[in-house]
Amino acid sequence: METVLITGASRGIGLELTNKFLELNYKVIATYRNKPSTELEKLQSNENISLIELEVTDEISINKLKDYLQGIKIDILINNAGIIGPEDQSVEGITRQDWLTTFAINSIAPLMISRAVLNNMESAINPRIITISSQMGAINRDNVGMYAYRSSKVAVNKVMKVLALELKEKSIAVCLIHPGWVKTDMGGENADISATKSASGIVNIAQELTMESSGKFFNWEGNEHVW
């Protein structure tokens, strides 16, 4: 039985990923910020889930996660926790602090969490690190506004590309996934697909990911995305 660690599991895509992996009989370590949602708490009736509080930008919290994970094999890490950033991300309105906060969560935290669990992944047969990104971080797309969010996703794309190269000798596969425009608190009511549909696609990619695909950027349907 494989074990998956999912950050930001209280709601949205993270919660649906937790549900999907439990349905497939994975052991799931689901993290939440401050307090788990009611929906996440209900899943504790399943003996295969463990909940742990994690503030992804806090070093003390990350170290507590490391202590908790001692001796536990992690097969899959899904860096799902993320934010859209401040409401005003125009060139006139974006503030330095709001931009830095968005970067801390979306760009820096995925590497810090990945680093924290590397020792736990070395004993896995097919270890995989998956980071939820966005096509809004694709340089080839011509869009305006949303400076903090777009740039944070560009940054995490490059971070994970570098990590994939560095972990090649350890046979730890790394990839990024655009989850689609999803009907969540972040995506809004007018989005294209449900969190359940997005999560199903992400789980399929996680199950099939090998070293041959390490360093690539996919969409939720498993097709390679342009950078």
Side-chain angles (χ1 to χ4, degrees):
M1 181 183 293
E2 289 195 323
T3 298
V4 57
L5 170 63
I6 303 169
T7 66
S10 258
R11 57 187 55 84
I13 296 171
L15 180 62
E16 291 305 318
L17 286 169
T18 301
N19 275 308
K20 291 294 181 184
F21 278 111
L22 287 174
E23 288 172 7
L24 293 168
N25 293 319
Y26 282 74
K27 285 188 175 295
V28 178
I29 300 171
T31 81
Y32 61 89
R33 183 173 179 266
N34 295 328
K35 183 180 179 181
S37 65
T38 301
E39 293 82 359
L40 184 60
E41 280 189 311
K42 288 179 180 177
L43 295 179
Q44 289 187 100
S45 59
N46 190 314
E47 62 181 9
N48 286 332
I49 192 171
S50 301
L51 305 186
I52 182 168
E53 183 178 4
L54 175 66
E55 170 52 69
V56 296
T57 62
D58 183 76
E59 187 174 352
I60 294 175
S61 184
I62 294 173
N63 285 334
K64 287 181 179 178
L65 173 67
K66 286 178 67 174
D67 291 341
Y68 174 83
L69 293 176
Q70 282 189 18
I72 298 175
K73 175 177 63 70
I74 300 296
D75 299 276
I76 304 171
L77 165 64
I78 300 185
N79 287 307
N80 169 72
I83 60 171
I84 193 69
E87 183 174 348
D88 189 350
Q89 295 188 41
S90 66
V91 66
E92 299 88 1
I94 186 69
T95 68
R96 182 176 184 272
Q97 187 55 56
D98 284 341
W99 202 337
L100 288 171
T101 298
T102 307
F103 251 76
I105 296 170
N106 292 353
S107 311
I108 299 172
L111 182 62
M112 298 297 100
I113 302 302
S114 298
R115 185 175 68 181
V117 303
L118 285 181
N119 286 340
N120 303 86
M121 304 192 87
E122 289 185 358
S123 59
I125 295 174
N126 179 27
R128 290 145 279 170
I129 295 174
I130 294 167
T131 296
I132 304 303
S133 183
S134 170
Q135 66 179 12
M136 290 174 71
I139 292 292
N140 77 309
R141 290 172 60 86
D142 291 330
N143 300 100
V144 298
M146 299 298 291
Y147 279 93
Y149 185 75
R150 293 186 198 280
S151 60
S152 72
K153 292 303 184 179
V154 173
V156 79
N157 285 355
K158 187 61 178 181
V159 167
M160 290 297 143
K161 181 73 171 179
V162 173
L163 185 63
L165 293 171
E166 293 187 350
L167 294 182
K168 189 174 181 180
E169 63 182 21
K170 293 185 176 181
S171 295
I172 299 177
V174 180
C175 82
L176 297 123
I177 298 178
H178 163 58
W181 186 18
V182 185
K183 293 178 182 178
T184 61
D185 291 344
M186 184 184 294
E189 289 288 329
N190 296 321
D192 292 332
I193 61 173
S194 68
T196 301
K197 193 169 186 178
S198 175
S200 294
I202 294 168
V203 169
N204 288 339
I205 295 170
Q207 290 181 310
E208 297 173 6
L209 187 65
T210 65
M211 288 303 299
E212 291 181 3
S213 297
S214 188
K216 293 184 177 181
F217 183 20
F218 297 100
N219 65 23
W220 65 277
E221 294 171 297
N223 300 316
E224 194 165 354
H225 200 296
V226 293
W227 295 96

